[in-house]
Amino acid sequence: MQMYQIEYEKPTVTLLQESGLGVAEIAARTCYDSFENSENACVRDAMNTLDREAVNRIEDSDLLTNLAWVHHHHSIIEHATLSFLIQGTSRGVLQEHARHRLQAISVRSTRYTMSSVINAFVASLEAEDGFAFFFEKVLAMRLFVITDEAYLRIEIRAIYEKLNFQYQRDEAFLQNAVSKSSLSFIEAHKGDAEALYHALENGKKKRNVGDAFKHIVSDNWKVDMVVTFNIRSLKNYFDLRDSGAAWFQIQWLAQAMKEATPKKYLKLIDKKYKES
């Protein structure tokens, strides 16, 4: 996908779990003591014989539809939740996404997962053309939402220069970059960048390598995360982020999340699906 003459890769979203609508309907009918009015037999009998499996299989609820669209009583649908696996959005998006406070969010930590980039730089110190070696390795990692190779040469060059700047200044650079048990590989593979890189990749990873090197990360760096929303909060997210006023990257994320959301939930929160 091209935006402003730059090629991007869109994120992918997978639905991990859904709570179903049954709990939300039981919650609503508890408020009004109206179980006998449900079109779902498992809800009518819920206060006497609770069939959890049947409750969780409910695909539709007239009461929830009425509360959502006639009375705009959305607190009830907070009992319905969805969890998504999000892959390949950007750290720039993460800053905006995290403003939606009513969610559970777990994000891939660059602090603990950037060893391969640092290993590529350490190995590049043994290469005849350090940047060429580093560029090839980092490009293959597909770390960025931007896919334009000409742009990525600039992005990766900046990372290389930042690391080289730090290397020239910090006498403890290698100790900060490589786990203690892997330091011997540097001497063992002197002059052989490829062998050193593979040895470091197969050796023990330094646990918190990002403490020293997280400064190299830009907003274009890919982020994976798992998020859980109740559908009232999800409605707010879609209203704000699947909108022409939103930044295009977070629009892509909201659209992918909406595509992964079953229609039975969208019917309660999105007018486009109300009659479907």
Side-chain angles (χ1 to χ4, degrees):
M1 170 66 71
Q2 188 179 90
M3 293 294 292
Y4 304 106
Q5 305 305 310
I6 298 173
E7 291 290 337
Y8 290 84
E9 181 180 355
K10 286 187 175 183
T12 61
V13 176
T14 305
L15 181 67
L16 292 177
Q17 73 84 26
E18 51 175 307
S19 67
L21 297 176
V23 172
E25 182 176 346
I26 288 175
R29 294 201 178 278
T30 298
C31 295
Y32 302 111
D33 194 16
S34 62
F35 292 92
E36 70 280 3
N37 295 329
S38 178
E39 73 274 27
N40 295 300
C42 59
V43 174
R44 289 197 301 272
D45 298 334
M47 299 303 274
N48 299 312
T49 305
L50 182 62
D51 184 341
R52 290 189 183 89
E53 290 187 5
V55 167
N56 290 329
R57 288 197 303 267
I58 289 175
E59 292 292 318
D60 203 359
S61 167
D62 292 341
L63 176 61
L64 294 182
T65 300
N66 190 50
L67 290 173
W69 294 114
V70 177
H71 301 288
H72 303 287
H73 185 2
H74 293 130
S75 65
I76 292 301
I77 60 175
E78 290 180 9
H79 290 283
T81 62
L82 301 172
S83 297
F84 303 94
L85 169 63
I86 296 169
Q87 296 172 281
T89 193
S90 71
R91 290 186 64 81
V93 168
L94 175 62
Q95 294 177 48
E96 296 196 7
H97 180 92
R99 295 174 193 161
H100 293 264
R101 295 171 181 83
L102 294 180
Q103 63 173 308
I105 179 170
S106 299
V107 183
R108 186 175 189 268
S109 169
T110 49
R111 182 170 172 244
Y112 287 93
T113 61
M114 64 190 307
S115 291
S116 292
V117 176
I118 307 307
N119 289 343
F121 177 78
V122 171
S124 77
L125 298 172
E126 304 300 327
E128 186 174 336
D129 185 336
F131 175 67
F133 179 90
F134 183 76
F135 178 74
E136 178 189 351
K137 297 303 182 191
V138 175
L139 186 66
M141 295 175 197
R142 297 183 63 188
L143 290 175
F144 308 99
V145 294
I146 291 175
T147 58
D148 188 312
E149 188 168 326
Y151 184 98
L152 289 176
R153 184 168 291 274
I154 299 169
E155 181 91 37
I156 295 171
R157 168 71 75 175
I159 293 172
Y160 179 82
E161 294 297 344
K162 289 175 186 178
L163 290 172
N164 195 46
F165 174 88
Q166 193 172 358
Y167 173 71
Q168 298 297 332
R169 287 196 171 196
D170 186 1
E171 293 181 357
F173 182 95
L174 295 177
Q175 287 75 20
N176 292 329
V178 176
S179 68
K180 189 175 181 180
S181 63
S182 296
L183 283 170
S184 61
F185 297 152
I186 297 173
E187 190 61 36
H189 299 290
K190 199 75 175 172
D192 190 339
E194 194 69 42
L196 176 55
Y197 177 69
H198 286 293
L200 292 173
E201 284 290 277
N202 291 319
K204 183 179 180 181
K205 302 294 189 292
K206 192 170 180 67
R207 181 169 174 270
N208 56 344
V209 66
D211 284 0
F213 305 112
K214 198 170 179 178
H215 64 88
I216 69 173
V217 177
S218 76
D219 279 355
N220 294 320
W221 203 284
K222 279 183 180 177
V223 166
D224 297 338
M225 55 186 172
V226 172
V227 300
T228 298
F229 281 86
N230 70 64
I231 63 171
R232 183 186 195 182
S233 183
L234 193 62
K235 170 179 166 54
N236 174 258
Y237 188 87
F238 289 159
D239 286 348
L240 294 178
R241 301 307 184 180
D242 186 17
S243 157
W247 182 37
F248 67 89
Q249 282 195 39
I250 202 165
Q251 284 186 56
W252 291 344
L253 176 55
Q255 289 159 7
M257 289 172 65
K258 186 175 285 188
E259 288 174 8
T261 300
K263 286 185 179 179
K264 64 183 177 182
Y265 303 101
L266 292 174
K267 286 171 66 174
L268 300 176
I269 61 177
D270 189 326
K271 287 181 180 179
K272 296 176 187 175
Y273 296 87
K274 181 181 174 182
E275 304 301 332
S276 65

